[in-house]
Amino acid sequence: MNHQNNSHRRTSKLKFEQIYVIWGLWLFLFAALLGTSMRLFWVIDLPFFEYTNVLHAHSHLAMLGWGFTVICALFIFFLKGLVQKPKSYRLLLLINVLVCLVMTVAFVVDGYTVLSISLLTAHLLIAYRLGYLLLQDLKRLTYKTASLLGRWAIYWMFISTLGVWFLPVVIAKFGKFDPLYFASIELFLHLQFNGWFVFAILAFLVLTLEQKRFILKITKFEFWMLQISLVLTYGLPAFWSYPIPVLSHLNALGVVVQLLVLGKLLYPLLKSWKVFQRDEVTIGDGLIVIGVVSLLIKTIIQFTLILPSFLGASSEVRQFFIGFIHLIMLGVFTMTCLGVCVRNGIIPQVKLSKLGLQILILGFISTELILFTQGLLLWNVVGAIPYYHEVILIFTIFLPVGIALVIASIYSTSSKKAANILS
């Protein structure tokens, strides 16, 4: 009997990488619920909440909670036996989850206050320590291309925080409505999305393939061109604050370079993926393809902003801006990370998880189509989608439902494995 109980405890116990991913998925679920409530604001009256406060809570939780946690979880998974301080990772990630949850409540209740800013500061300090630990362990990784991409993802995460530290100085000297204030926020967002997130998912894709003995290499020239394009494309958000023509020209140059380098890198990546596909394409493969295609669409959209009319629309039409941010966060980042999790067995391939992921995909694609269609209609002054707010709310609900089913599938699969051992 004791032997059976011990077996049950060992078998029902989730792996550490699954625990970390589940923590991230719970934060993702809460962020999705906040996003859904923001869509609800436009349909019914919610007198007890302020829209701007919920927006801050949603964006911070999505990036600093879900995004940060799942990146760390996947790096830890791929490092496996190379992790030198597993207990430190566990403690820091747990503290960060708690910090993000309290920060979310603080934002919803009162917006930017001493408490929410203090918790944001705590997250940054945790991120520095976790980033340092990851840098030490990634140096020991035998897969050089992935190690390089992974380490630079962390470097860009570090550099992005300069935008946050600039804010108090800018507010004290120039106020919250100075262009430098918005430029500092955009520096943080640009390097988080296009540096930390994009370099991390490229590392995960390369690692997934290299584990199958398919080695992908990037030349020094291509790698530094990718870095330069990241710096140059900051010209677009900087242009929104300082409409100087040279900034839009720098962005245009950066986009061309980025398109060429990413095309060179992603084409063999997608081509090599076919080598490892089973007889039937899995949901994980589909998610990764959606993520990679989203990355290419993102770059193409940036390329169209070379035209002055499109450049103006990018900042003037709210739906374009939201759709573009969600294209990066949900399409490029989330779909790729979830696909990598499925491919590597962190998320089980069972009916419940497949249903959840399919609903999530439907929610993502449908809301993107609605956002960009509404944006195009408003931009061309030809009307709007009938019952736009109600329609997009309905499809937005698919996102938290899909995430909840994925979380349930991980717990359910773990429990069934334990039951099978005992039977």
Side-chain angles (χ1 to χ4, degrees), residues 108-166:
V108 170
V109 173
D110 221 9
Y112 272 105
T113 60
V114 173
L115 177 58
S116 57
I117 293 170
S118 298
L119 291 165
L120 176 58
T121 304
H123 164 80
L124 294 179
L125 297 176
I126 293 167
Y128 292 149
R129 178 58 182 164
L130 272 167
Y132 174 77
L133 292 175
L134 284 171
L135 284 173
Q136 301 309 304
D137 291 337
L138 282 168
K139 289 177 183 176
R140 307 168 70 202
L141 201 62
T142 54
Y143 307 119
K144 298 305 178 186
T145 300
S147 175
L148 184 65
L149 289 166
R151 282 183 285 120
W152 268 97
I154 296 165
Y155 292 144
W156 285 122
M157 184 265 286
F158 287 162
I159 297 168
S160 74
T161 63
L162 291 175
V164 178
W165 295 119
F166 285 157

Side-chain angles (χ1 to χ4, degrees), residues 8 59 144 204 209 226 264 266 294 326 337 361 382 410:
H8 179 271
S59 59
K144 298 305 178 186
F204 299 150
L209 287 173
L226 192 62
K264 175 77 165 49
L266 293 176
S294 296
H326 285 185
C337 286
I361 291 169
V382 289
I410 300 176

